[in-house]
Amino acid sequence: SGMYVRAQAHFEPLSFDTDHTASRDAVIQITEVRRAIEAEAARLAAERRTRKDVTQIRKALRAIELAAKNGRDGVEEDVEFHRCIAQAANNPFLLQTLDYLSQYLREGTRVTRANEARRSDFAQQVMLEHQAIVEAIEQADSRGALKAATTHMQNASRRLQNADLSFWQKHPVLLTQ
């Protein structure tokens, strides 16, 4: 019957209620979102990674270790570590979603890392969790990578939930930029 012109599909931009994002609960909920995204990214990275990807992930892990050794919070390094994993998953939609969420993840990661820095056993546990993710990816163990990344984010959430009121008073939450 001929050609038809139709309006281009309209997609609403993703946004969050900023009244909610500035709360303790929001930090914990962001770790839940991170678990969903980063665990799947780790699984896919284990299946699809190249040698170059593994090199970049290991370099990012060393940067976290160096930041901690030099007394820095390691937030940017931590975000970059997880971004390298998402990049190795070779899914542009996953990477773009993570990049968009980084505005919220950075502050959530800042609070999470501050909590973990309070105790040396927490810092050591996080490093071991990161190493387990990298080893599974390097060994192309997709189930192991999924499990290691899920465990890492569940533990991060648990560590935050167990933080006392004085910690939260010292680290007010503002998850928007």
Side-chain angles (χ1 to χ4, degrees):
S1 70
M3 287 181 109
Y4 296 89
V5 177
R6 124 185 130 127
Q8 185 176 12
H10 178 72
F11 296 100
E12 291 293 321
L14 181 62
S15 64
F16 296 114
D17 176 3
T18 55
D19 290 336
H20 174 71
T21 58
S23 71
R24 174 187 178 272
D25 288 343
V27 174
I28 293 168
Q29 291 164 349
I30 286 291
T31 62
E32 293 170 351
V33 172
R34 287 182 63 194
R35 181 177 66 228
I37 293 172
E38 292 177 12
E40 181 62 11
R43 184 187 72 78
L44 291 171
E47 292 176 1
R48 301 173 179 171
R49 91 284 183 272
T50 64
R51 281 186 175 170
K52 181 180 177 185
D53 292 328
V54 172
T55 299
Q56 289 302 112
I57 293 167
R58 285 211 169 271
K59 181 179 175 184
L61 181 61
R62 283 191 303 276
I64 295 171
E65 294 169 353
L66 186 60
K69 186 177 179 179
N70 291 332
R72 296 192 324 272
D73 64 11
V75 171
E76 292 302 319
E77 293 83 357
D78 194 294
V79 170
E80 181 61 20
F81 169 73
H82 290 287
R83 188 179 190 287
C84 286
I85 292 170
Q87 194 158 8
N90 199 23
N91 179 327
F93 296 104
L94 183 63
L95 186 59
Q96 290 169 359
T97 300
L98 191 63
D99 284 345
Y100 171 79
L101 291 174
S102 70
Q103 63 186 312
Y104 302 98
L105 300 179
R106 270 187 181 76
E107 192 57 34
T109 302
R110 187 175 321 286
V111 172
T112 301
R113 290 194 63 84
N115 180 50
E116 294 161 352
R118 292 181 310 122
R119 294 179 35 185
S120 62
D121 60 327
F122 281 0
Q124 182 63 27
Q125 184 180 17
V126 171
M127 189 52 60
L128 292 174
E129 291 167 9
H130 281 162
Q131 288 172 350
I133 296 167
V134 173
E135 288 169 11
I137 291 170
E138 191 169 36
Q139 295 168 8
D141 178 1
S142 60
R143 285 185 182 158
L146 178 68
K147 182 179 180 198
T150 299
T151 298
H152 171 53
M153 294 315 305
Q154 286 172 331
N155 288 345
S157 182
R158 180 184 46 76
R159 288 185 288 261
L160 285 169
Q161 289 170 348
N162 292 334
D164 60 19
L165 183 60
S166 65
F167 168 77
W168 290 105
Q169 289 171 337
K170 290 178 190 172
H171 298 88
V173 179
L174 182 59
L175 293 176
T176 56
Q177 290 185 341

